Amino acid sequence: MPDAPIQGPVAVVTGASSGIGEAVVRRLADEPGMTVVLVARREERLRALAATLPVPATYVAADLTDDAAPGRVRDHVLELHGRLTLLVNNAGASWRATFAEGGYANVRRTMDVNFDAAVRLTEALLPALRSSAPSAIVNVSSTSGRIARPRAGAYSASKFALAGWSDALYAEERAHGVHVGLVLPGYVETEGFPARELTSRPLLRWIVSTPEKAAEAVVDAGLRGKPERYVPRPYGLIAVARILAPWLLRQVGRGRIGATLTTSTGAELSEAEEEAGPRAH
């Protein structure tokens, strides 16, 4: 435990080295008295980001799919900060493939990153959140956690699971003073989800949002106690359509529109570059 336990809010943000996670960290740094703990795999990025923040910041460089990672994060938080008032489960990835192409292996690795890692980290940190109540957990799902598209079934499965688990966890933890909020971004241009297929087309660019707007939604769902936020907000209409007209979404999903809206991901692009090897410039 620290010599002088922190009295202000302490937040853990996963996937903090870029994209929505980085935007969340910078947004939380605007909150009075905030201390942030950055979690991601790339230590050099975490170190550089922490150094630019106007609030106390520490970091844990870890792959959250590793068995020891949740315990490492928990020990770091308790030893350096003594308490935890906000956990943002944001880390995630996606590899596009049909089920026939990717099979169980693709579903398993996607679930491991997007769902299992969040559950395991939450399990490790829940006692600290309870003892620091009022506190909050924000799970960053996706509009793909309400509807599915071709070649993104594994990603949708992981985000559907995260959304359903969040609803149950909210009901279970409310009595302990731990609020559970859910954020469901649509297309947000980030390193992990560059959405180049959309941003390169003037007629489609408008449907792509920004990490900063997603970060504000995280603050709404965490510090302001909102149960659920879509980014941008009109994307919530898609979830309504899923209930009222599922046949319509299935028709759209299997046609050209569905193919157009299934974009490449950063994980795929990175793997493709590794397979291609060094290039001459």
Side-chain angles (χ1 to χ4, degrees), residues 11-59:
V12 167
V13 181
T14 70
S17 61
S18 64
I20 292 175
E22 180 181 352
V24 169
V25 168
R26 294 190 182 281
R27 174 60 185 83
L28 289 175
D30 292 334
E31 295 294 316
M34 180 65 70
T35 296
V36 290
V37 180
L38 288 57
V39 181
R41 293 174 300 165
R42 297 173 290 191
E43 182 172 2
E44 68 284 355
R45 289 202 180 189
L46 296 178
R47 184 186 303 112
L49 175 58
T52 67
L53 299 175
V55 298
T58 61
Y59 61 85

Side-chain angles (χ1 to χ4, degrees), residues 36-188:
V36 290
V37 180
L38 288 57
V39 181
R41 293 174 300 165
R42 297 173 290 191
E43 182 172 2
E44 68 284 355
R45 289 202 180 189
L46 296 178
R47 184 186 303 112
L49 175 58
T52 67
L53 299 175
V55 298
T58 61
Y59 61 85
V60 181
D63 183 338
L64 290 175
T65 63
D66 290 343
D67 289 343
R72 286 184 56 210
V73 176
R74 177 198 60 220
D75 293 347
H76 176 96
V77 170
L78 294 180
E79 290 173 8
L80 294 185
H81 307 296
R83 64 199 306 264
L84 179 62
T85 50
L86 176 63
L87 167 62
V88 181
N89 286 313
N90 165 73
S94 179
W95 298 267
R96 307 301 195 203
T98 67
F99 183 67
E101 295 167 344
Y104 172 74
N106 189 47
V107 175
R108 181 66 269 158
R109 71 169 173 173
T110 307
M111 289 290 293
D112 197 21
V113 175
N114 295 351
F115 181 66
D116 294 355
V119 171
R120 293 171 58 244
L121 183 61
T122 301
E123 180 180 34
L125 296 178
L126 189 57
L129 287 161
R130 284 184 171 186
S131 65
S132 303
S135 57
I137 300 166
V138 177
N139 292 324
V140 180
S141 179
S142 168
T143 53
S144 293
R146 300 298 192 201
I147 59 171
R149 290 162 293 145
R151 303 187 67 247
Y155 183 71
S156 282
S158 67
K159 295 301 187 177
F160 266 83
L162 192 60
W165 177 64
S166 297
D167 289 344
L169 192 63
Y170 166 80
E172 295 166 359
E173 291 303 316
R174 185 176 181 182
H176 300 284
V178 182
H179 169 72
V180 179
L182 185 67
V183 173
L184 302 101
Y187 294 103
V188 176

Side-chain angles (χ1 to χ4, degrees), residues 190-215:
T190 66
E191 181 179 330
F193 296 87
R196 295 173 186 170
E197 296 88 341
L198 303 179
T199 57
S200 63
R201 301 183 182 188
L203 293 179
L204 296 177
R205 191 177 301 144
W206 65 273
I207 69 175
V208 181
S209 191
T210 66
E212 290 72 26
K213 290 182 179 179

Side-chain angles (χ1 to χ4, degrees), residues 262-278:
T262 302
T263 59
S264 299
T265 69
E268 292 173 326
L269 296 173
S270 177
E271 289 185 357
E273 290 175 358
E274 290 177 2
E275 291 175 0

